Amino acid sequence: QLVYPYDFRLTEKEKTSICYLSFPDSYSGGLGDTQFSFRLRQSGGQRTTHYEDDGEYNREAPLTLQRESAHYFGYVYFRQVKDSSMKRGYFQKSLVLVSRLPYVNLFQSLLQLIAPEYFDKLEPCLEAVCNEIDQWPPPVPGQTLNLPVMGVVIQVRIPSRVDKPGSSPVKQFNQENLLPAPLVLPSIHELDLFRCFQPVLIHIQMLWELMLLGEPIVVMAPSPTVSSEMVLALTSCLAPLRYCCDYRPYFTIHDSEFKEYTTRTQAPPNIVVGVTNPFFIKTLQHWPHILRVGELRMSGDLPKQVKVKKLAKLKTLDTKPGIYTSYKTFLHKDKTLIKRLLKGIQRKRPSEVQSALLRRHLLELTQSFIIPLEHYIASLMPLQRAITPWKNPPQIRPFRQEDFMKTLEHAGPQLTCVLKGDWLGLYRRFFKSPNFDGWYRQRHKEMTQKLEALHLEAICEANIVAWMKDKSEVEIVDLVLKLREKLVRARCQHLPVKEETLQRVGLYIETIIGSLPEDLQTVLHHH
């Protein structure tokens, strides 16, 4: 019915997709308000964003919270109430917030404030809210922001890449005597993992492995809320490693990618997809891993844990909850985690404490797995003394899987992790996954930039006048052009170089040009 602000351009295809994704696609008898999220592939080419600082934000934000360039997130508030004046006897409407940022807690909290007002007062309410949001500061990683909206101030900290993984967000911010007292969100994006993973706590190990390997997974849930929370919980369980595959927290049969995902002519894509329509049981039964969950109810004791079952058992329509897969885990189950969570349930520990336990366990698991890889890749960096000013910096040595495997005997995950099992087999499978590819590219890019930076520093330290003594004009002009190119690249790519280093290189260039004949000086100044 309405897109606000008006000047925001969505393609017809995107509008249609957003409409379908904004409503539960299978009958839910539940009346009242529900919230869920989706993720949507952008269609129709690149659009300029309002954010020219994309690069800066993405450089400082954790990899898992970067602004998406080819996808939108949709955050939905859906209301369904009886209303005899409507043709269907029901009032059904959704308010959707679309963003490139995965700040699920912030945006869902925002919708809880806006949506009830919007259903009551309609467009003027959106106009007022958008005027307030326009005044908000941009999200700067590491900063705590106060965001006023509808008489409330939401206070939230934007995580930064330099935060220590697993450190809990600062509980008490400086309140600055804000009146009314702010609505403090403990995290901008972290879900209540314990609640989301309730029915599968004893299989957390298996789910972590499936996510690490980028396996195709279907989450079949009774509602978009359960489906989107489970998918987002799964994609977050590798942090601080970035999950590099595609994921759809909620997916409907009307989606433009429906054919692509349900075709049997090729293997299912590396994606986690959340669905609620029973029709998918038939169309997706060739997928290798299907997680079927019921409604999430928080109760005082450990909820019924789903069983691992053979895929062949998935035939019927009233499929029982379970993990339908023939996957055999590489690592053994961690019994201590389950014992600690059970103790927490008996002692009625709050859910956020249980979630912190769970998150810490997953973090330690990921770190045990990734630290040997980090050590090995760091050893591929050329020695600092090999970087000389007048030669191109040496190459980073290639990543050799077999060489890496040899390092595991004396520096493998067994040093930091109590879990036994076939770690080598897990690494071998991981090398074939998009997550390895994404991790390696990111690291390689960072190392290349570090080399460039070290090279610029070496140039700064060098005695340029001595070098020029026995050089021809051609060689000197060539050096000027190369140095200029390096300077431009350092600024464009925001290399990790001190500003004074860049200024010194700039001065060098001027000095060298000054030593050349005037006709060449003119050409180089215009060049």
Side-chain angles (χ1 to χ4, degrees), residues 210-216 244-245 270 330 369 373 399 401-402 405 424-438 440:
L210 292 173
M211 295 306 291
L212 180 73
L213 301 172
E215 286 286 311
C244 296
C245 308
N270 300 88
F330 286 93
F369 183 81
L373 283 161
F399 189 107
Q401 294 178 10
E402 287 316 309
M405 293 304 220
L424 295 179
L426 189 58
Y427 281 114
R428 284 209 162 82
R429 272 285 282 273
F430 177 67
F431 289 141
K432 299 189 181 95
S433 84
N435 290 328
F436 169 69
D437 191 53
Y440 176 72

Side-chain angles (χ1 to χ4, degrees), residues 220-222 276-282 285 290-294 304 309 311-322 324:
M220 292 184 173
T276 61
N277 194 324
F279 181 66
F280 279 110
I281 294 180
K282 215 161 93 197
Q285 63 187 18
I290 294 174
L291 168 58
R292 175 93 164 129
V293 285
K304 193 161 181 268
K309 306 179 180 183
L311 278 158
K313 294 244 165 79
L314 193 72
K315 293 275 186 278
T316 53
L317 268 177
D318 57 340
T319 305
K320 303 248 179 318
Y324 294 81

Side-chain angles (χ1 to χ4, degrees), residues 91-106:
F91 167 92
Q92 289 176 309
K93 208 169 221 182
S94 282
L95 181 65
V96 185
L97 191 152
V98 177
S99 170
R100 293 183 183 279
L101 291 164
Y103 295 168
V104 57
N105 290 354
L106 172 62

Side-chain angles (χ1 to χ4, degrees), residues 258-278:
F258 178 73
K259 281 206 174 61
E260 188 183 318
Y261 295 165
T262 51
T263 172
R264 299 191 176 214
T265 52
Q266 61 217 59
N270 300 88
I271 172 174
V272 180
V273 52
V275 300
T276 61
N277 194 324

Side-chain angles (χ1 to χ4, degrees), residues 290-507:
I290 294 174
L291 168 58
R292 175 93 164 129
V293 285
E295 277 297 345
L296 295 180
R297 289 194 183 83
M298 279 303 255
S299 55
D301 45 357
L302 184 68
K304 193 161 181 268
Q305 297 293 295
V306 306
K307 295 190 168 63
V308 174
K309 306 179 180 183
K310 295 199 166 49
L311 278 158
K313 294 244 165 79
L314 193 72
K315 293 275 186 278
T316 53
L317 268 177
D318 57 340
T319 305
K320 303 248 179 318
I323 300 178
Y324 294 81
T325 178
S326 56
Y327 180 80
K328 295 278 171 281
T329 55
F330 286 93
L331 306 179
H332 306 321
K333 238 180 221 162
D334 186 3
K335 302 249 170 41
T336 49
L337 173 73
I338 299 300
K339 283 184 188 144
R340 288 172 72 185
L341 291 172
L342 272 171
K343 195 183 271 177
I345 289 169
Q346 285 153 7
R347 295 186 177 168
K348 301 199 166 24
R349 262 192 221 131
S351 190
E352 57 266 28
V353 177
Q354 297 278 67
S355 282
L357 263 178
L358 201 48
R359 193 167 271 114
R360 174 112 120 273
H361 168 78
L362 290 164
L363 173 73
E364 284 167 4
L365 198 51
T366 301
Q367 283 180 325
S368 297
F369 183 81
I370 222 75
I371 284 169
L373 283 161
E374 299 283 5
H375 281 319
Y376 173 71
I377 203 165
S379 74
L380 304 176
M381 188 80 167
L383 295 171
Q384 200 146 349
R385 63 167 182 270
I387 301 167
T388 56
W390 316 121
K391 275 215 237 32
N392 277 333
Q395 296 285 306
I396 296 164
R397 289 193 298 284
F399 189 107
R400 295 208 166 85
Q401 294 178 10
E402 287 316 309
D403 291 355
F404 165 71
M405 293 304 220
K406 285 182 197 130
T407 67
L408 292 175
E409 287 159 32
H410 48 88
Q414 69 280 1
L415 301 182
T416 51
C417 188
V418 289
L419 286 189
K420 301 280 174 278
D422 179 11
W423 286 94
L424 295 179
L426 189 58
Y427 281 114
R428 284 209 162 82
R429 272 285 282 273
F430 177 67
F431 289 141
K432 299 189 181 95
S433 84
N435 290 328
F436 169 69
D437 191 53
W439 170 82
Y440 176 72
R441 279 167 195 247
Q442 176 68 28
R443 284 291 173 268
H444 198 273
K445 181 175 143 192
E446 287 164 7
M447 286 160 74
T448 310
Q449 293 185 341
K450 179 85 182 123
L451 267 179
E452 266 292 294
L454 288 169
H455 193 215
L456 276 168
E457 274 158 25
I459 290 168
C460 263
E461 303 297 307
N463 182 341
I464 214 144
V465 181
W467 177 85
M468 280 164 53
K469 276 206 178 87
D470 54 350
K471 298 295 181 286
S472 68
E473 269 176 21
V474 175
E475 288 173 290
I476 291 173
V477 170
D478 187 50
L479 176 72
V480 169
L481 297 178
K482 277 196 179 137
L483 284 180
R484 263 194 190 158
E485 192 191 341
K486 271 190 169 310
L487 210 50
V488 170
R489 211 168 39 231
R491 293 219 185 273
C492 288
Q493 295 179 0
H494 300 274
L495 294 184
V497 191
K498 294 189 202 74
E499 183 53 40
E500 57 197 282
T501 305
L502 296 178
Q503 285 172 358
R504 276 177 68 184
V505 174
L507 281 172

